[in-house]
Amino acid sequence: IISGNSTAYHGHGTAVLGEVVGVDNTIGVVGIAPEANARVVSQYRPDGSYNTADAILSAVGVMAAGDVLLLEAQSSYVGYAGPLPVEVYQAEFDAIQFATAQGIIVVEAAGNGTNDLDAFTDFMGRRILNRGHADFRDSGAIMVGAGSSASPHTRLWFSNWGSRIDCFAWGENIETTGDGWTGNLNNTYTSTFGGTSGASPIVTGAALLLQSYRET
């Protein structure tokens, strides 16, 4: 762990890591990039506060250009029933933009809020997630929505959508390590992991493979 306290949703985190770096050991699943090196950072900070921007900056402090940073988080916002991507808040946007400016590839979950991001307005009335609007701002992150596992692939009902979304990946029926949610056993697997939390690691794995190809 880079920094912070491992406080909650242990099975969820284990499922995310399994998608990307599950070891090829003939026992369970195999991750997309099993030879990648992974570290984690917690939004629950050492002082007991909950601060996503600080966690991002802490991770960036030990990363280098070409590394891949996966943001497994979403944020609530006054006036919206469902969660939104974390960059709707200025501090998180600034931290993400700082990371991408360093050459770090940031993959950001779009959130499971059933929101049209093009219609989102922040506290100042700006449409910051609408690529066709003058208010749009680009953090540089790859934002990932959740799609169906069966062909033809379509957006799953709970996934946020809009022009800010860069791509979609499976958001259902994902086999991986962990129970996919709150448990902490080290010998369980799930075949039902999903959401934008499940889609984002798939894109992260693809990014890591592309980076390893370039590196070699």
Side-chain angles (χ1 to χ4, degrees):
I1 190 167
I2 295 168
S3 68
N5 301 313
S6 180
T7 302
Y9 308 115
H10 303 95
H12 180 278
T14 303
V16 168
L17 286 169
E19 285 187 67
V20 183
V21 293
V23 178
D24 187 1
N25 58 8
T26 73
I27 296 175
V29 301
V30 180
I32 296 169
E35 295 187 23
N37 296 314
R39 299 181 69 183
V40 296
V41 64
S42 175
Q43 294 157 284
Y44 293 94
R45 309 308 296 144
D47 63 2
S49 65
Y50 185 87
N51 191 318
T52 302
D54 188 64
I56 294 170
L57 293 175
S58 176
V60 171
V62 298
M63 298 178 77
D67 290 345
V68 183
L69 174 60
L70 169 59
L71 300 181
E72 278 290 327
Q74 54 186 7
S75 294
S76 58
Y77 206 89
V78 174
Y80 292 85
L84 291 152
V86 295
E87 68 175 57
V88 294
Y89 288 104
Q90 188 65 49
E92 281 72 11
F93 174 86
D94 290 343
I96 294 168
Q97 191 174 61
F98 176 74
T100 58
Q102 311 308 306
I104 295 168
I105 299 163
V106 179
V107 179
E108 179 181 6
N112 304 323
T114 324
N115 294 299
D116 178 0
L117 300 184
D118 284 343
F120 169 77
T121 57
D122 68 6
F123 297 134
M124 299 177 65
R126 300 175 300 176
R127 296 199 173 189
I128 57 176
L129 298 174
N130 187 330
R131 290 188 183 273
H133 199 278
D135 295 333
F136 176 70
R137 59 184 193 183
D138 191 355
S139 67
I142 301 169
M143 192 173 290
V144 184
S148 62
S149 58
S151 179
H153 304 291
T154 57
R155 178 182 66 86
L156 292 171
W157 66 270
F158 56 78
S159 176
N160 291 333
W161 76 94
S163 60
R164 178 61 184 88
I165 307 296
D166 294 295
C167 56
F168 286 79
W170 284 18
E172 61 179 2
N173 304 322
I174 299 169
E175 297 216 22
T176 183
T177 49
D179 69 354
W181 193 235
T182 58
N184 56 11
L185 296 177
N186 62 6
N187 61 350
T188 55
Y189 296 87
T190 179
S191 60
T192 59
F193 193 52
T196 56
S197 289
S200 300
I202 294 174
V203 175
T204 299
L208 285 165
L209 293 180
L210 285 170
Q211 289 300 89
S212 68
Y213 178 80
R214 180 178 176 85
E215 190 70 20
T216 55

